[in-house]
Amino acid sequence: MSTSVTRPEVTLSEGDIHDILRNDRRRRTIKRLQEHGREVMLRDLAEEIAEAETGESPAPRNIRDSVYISLHQNHLPKLDAAGVVDYDRDRKTIRLRRTAGTVDLYMEVVTRYGVSWASFYRSLGTLSLFLVVLSLTDVPFVSAVDPLVFASVFLALIAGSTLYQLWSRRWFYLSRLS
């Protein structure tokens, strides 16, 4: 019979958070767990991180083993002690804790293409405004399109992007509700 131990939530200082995020493997661990949104086996996590580090699928066995060992002996115990994850050493399972949301605030939210969401939205808004103004000032070709069309298209792009961002970070919002 498995028993679940409820641990009190930990409050992390800014220095602790920066120490946690200083290491690529710890950052990748948090990101992968966020993407899964559930408990993950250590072997699966190590394989995913090794693939991300090498860009090969599957990653070479020696790299997978190296990642597995460093996660098991170093990174996961540190994240567990900080209260960011629950790491069961016996079952080799990991899951995010609510405290991970505090750490997440310090991780730049970046799209897959290396652009932060803030920069993405700022660029969409600026381009939209620019095109609307150009269409209102009788600039050739652009003025042939109604400014309301430009505004509507960009509003739809922003709404779609927001829904995608919310979906990709659903673990964060769902953990806040429970």
Side-chain angles (χ1 to χ4, degrees), residues 1-177:
M1 173 168 57
S2 174
T3 58
S4 175
V5 177
T6 304
R7 298 185 328 187
E9 290 300 320
V10 177
T11 304
L12 296 170
S13 71
E14 191 170 325
D16 292 337
I17 292 170
H18 287 291
D19 185 48
I20 288 168
L21 296 178
R22 184 176 333 181
N23 184 276
D24 285 340
R25 284 191 180 158
R26 286 193 292 268
R27 284 194 310 272
R28 281 193 173 112
T29 295
I30 293 168
K31 282 190 180 278
R32 295 294 180 192
L33 291 171
Q34 289 171 346
E35 290 169 4
H36 286 285
R38 59 174 166 71
E39 188 174 84
V40 175
M41 298 297 296
L42 175 56
R43 177 70 55 200
D44 298 334
L45 180 64
E47 287 177 11
E48 288 180 28
I49 291 174
E51 287 177 6
E53 287 180 1
T54 63
E56 298 177 39
S57 181
R61 183 168 180 74
N62 63 329
I63 303 296
R64 290 191 318 251
D65 291 345
S66 171
V67 171
Y68 182 96
I69 291 167
S70 74
L71 288 174
H72 177 66
Q73 293 180 350
N74 182 17
H75 303 299
L76 292 173
K78 183 172 189 130
L79 290 170
D80 186 60
V84 176
V85 301
D86 279 326
Y87 177 46
D88 186 328
R89 287 177 158 275
D90 298 327
R91 292 179 48 230
K92 305 283 191 276
T93 58
I94 310 105
R95 72 175 179 83
L96 279 178
R97 295 187 68 204
R98 292 181 120 199
T99 313
T102 305
V103 174
D104 189 55
L105 293 174
Y106 287 81
M107 295 172 70
E108 177 65 20
V109 181
V110 177
T111 67
R112 291 181 182 170
Y113 308 105
V115 177
S116 72
W117 282 107
S119 297
F120 176 76
Y121 289 123
R122 191 171 33 254
S123 298
L124 274 181
T126 302
L127 182 59
S128 171
L129 180 62
F130 183 69
L131 288 173
V132 166
V133 168
L134 286 179
S135 87
L136 288 170
T137 56
D138 295 328
V139 172
F141 302 112
V142 180
S143 62
V145 179
D146 188 341
L148 187 56
V149 171
F150 283 126
S152 299
V153 166
F154 279 94
L155 181 59
L157 283 171
I158 290 171
S161 300
T162 301
L163 289 173
Y164 171 78
Q165 184 183 9
L166 289 172
W167 177 254
S168 65
R169 294 177 43 83
R170 66 192 173 278
W171 77 270
F172 179 79
Y173 303 112
L174 291 173
S175 70
R176 294 286 185 229
L177 294 175

